[in-house]
Amino acid sequence: YTTQAGAVRVVSGSDDKTIKIWDPDAQRLLATLKGHTEYVNAVACYTTQAGAVRVVSGSDDKTIKIWDPDAQRLLATLKG
């Protein structure tokens, strides 16, 4: 995704149960989001109508989590 300041970010999910946010230009890790209890096997990003970026993660723990990557905060958990 691209931040409001125009910086590019890459998001990854892993078998360590985390989501990581990367700066591909600097080749460095910016944040690690923790909250899943099993492997994270899907990630996606979207922009809200207000222009805020959200990261969505899906896991083998049968949840989908919605994150604010700027605040590095969990916003919602969908179970099913």
Side-chain angles (χ1 to χ4, degrees), residues 46-71:
Y46 71 94
T47 304
T48 67
Q49 290 179 344
V53 172
R54 297 292 180 252
V55 171
V56 180
S57 57
S59 169
D60 284 344
D61 64 14
K62 300 180 183 169
T63 65
I64 296 169
K65 295 187 181 286
I66 302 172
W67 307 84
D68 177 339
D70 294 331

Side-chain angles (χ1 to χ4, degrees), residues 29-50:
L29 177 64
L30 299 175
T32 300
L33 307 177
K34 297 179 181 180
H36 283 291
T37 59
E38 296 294 335
Y39 293 175
V40 176
N41 47 39
V43 293
C45 301
Y46 71 94
T47 304
T48 67
Q49 290 179 344

